[in-house]
Amino acid sequence: MGSERSDADGDDTNAMALKILVAGGFGVGKTTLVGAVSEIRPLRTEELLSQAGQLVDDTGGVDRKTTTTVAMDFGRITIRSGLSLYLFGTPGQDRFWFLWDELSQGALGAVVLADTRRLEDCFPAVDYFEHRHIPFVVAVNCFATARTFGAHDVSRALDLDRGTPVVLCDARDRDSGKEVLIRLVEYAGRMHTARLLNTVG
């Protein structure tokens, strides 16, 4: 179930750490979300966008973006006593997708960030997690310049499986990001429990 038990300092033998991926298209806010919620200084592997990269990276709608993640972002957040999440932000561009298989191993679930100005950019992430049966929620990052759509509209546009949660969020806001992560943990927990019951039955 993507968890590790820890008894650091010997004071909490029931502590659990869960691995969560934060995925989505280029410039959707993955690094921002990890940085906003992380209680430790996040590890980032960002590089400046180059002229060569401009030939393959579509910066339409994110013209002000000057850097890009080339490996992963990493952060940690404690949801409650005894439960921590390790967050792994994935690179958004197709040419870095070979990293996704490594990053997804042992993950409880994923957050797929979406930008309604470029909704098609999150289709590959949705397909990736659906095909691998990794539970995920779609978090619509509400940019000021984007038209507002309801969760139901986004779900229909992405043709999501019934029951896949869609939530609206502000990737810059810690509380908003934390709510997204709580929804994911709850949803993934239900999915894993259902699968266990199916195998027993």
Side-chain angles (χ1 to χ4, degrees):
M1 194 161 149
S3 66
E4 295 177 5
R5 293 193 178 276
S6 168
D7 56 354
D9 302 323
D11 59 353
D12 192 355
T13 55
N14 294 318
M16 181 179 288
L18 304 173
K19 182 179 183 181
I20 303 294
L21 299 187
V22 179
F26 177 67
V28 76
K30 300 179 295 293
T31 298
T32 300
L33 177 66
V34 172
V37 301
S38 181
E39 62 200 13
I40 62 172
R41 183 176 179 181
L43 167 69
R44 292 178 173 156
T45 57
E46 288 195 304
E47 295 292 339
L48 289 172
L49 288 172
S50 64
Q51 277 191 314
Q54 288 175 357
L55 299 176
V56 290
D57 295 331
D58 178 13
T59 57
V62 286
D63 317 55
R64 294 163 143 191
K65 187 169 174 63
T66 58
T67 61
T68 185
T69 299
V70 296
M72 68 171 185
D73 298 310
F74 174 78
R76 186 189 71 209
I77 179 175
T78 301
I79 294 295
R80 58 171 169 75
S81 178
L83 176 60
S84 297
L85 304 182
Y86 291 157
L87 308 176
F88 292 81
T90 65
Q93 301 97 310
D94 294 357
R95 66 182 184 278
F96 295 123
W97 270 37
F98 65 94
L99 294 167
W100 283 46
D101 288 337
E102 290 290 329
L103 290 173
S104 65
Q105 288 191 19
L108 173 78
V111 173
V112 176
L113 272 175
D115 177 352
T116 57
R117 300 169 303 179
R118 300 155 49 108
L119 199 57
E120 67 280 1
D121 288 1
C122 70
F123 275 118
V126 168
D127 289 342
Y128 182 91
F129 297 121
E130 282 184 345
H131 289 146
R132 286 160 182 78
H133 306 290
I134 297 174
F136 68 94
V137 301
V138 173
V140 180
N141 193 6
C142 297
F143 290 91
T145 57
R147 184 178 162 195
T148 303
F149 291 90
H152 181 67
D153 294 326
V154 172
S155 181
R156 278 196 314 173
L158 293 175
D159 193 25
L160 297 176
D161 289 342
R162 188 173 179 179
T164 301
V166 177
V167 294
L168 306 182
C169 75
D170 182 343
R172 303 165 299 177
D173 182 76
R174 177 180 170 82
D175 289 337
S176 181
K178 187 173 179 179
E179 282 301 314
V180 170
L181 295 171
I182 290 171
R183 282 288 300 276
L184 171 62
V185 171
E186 291 173 347
Y187 175 64
R190 291 195 302 271
M191 294 290 288
H192 283 289
T193 299
R195 288 174 189 167
L196 285 172
L197 291 174
N198 285 337
T199 58
V200 171

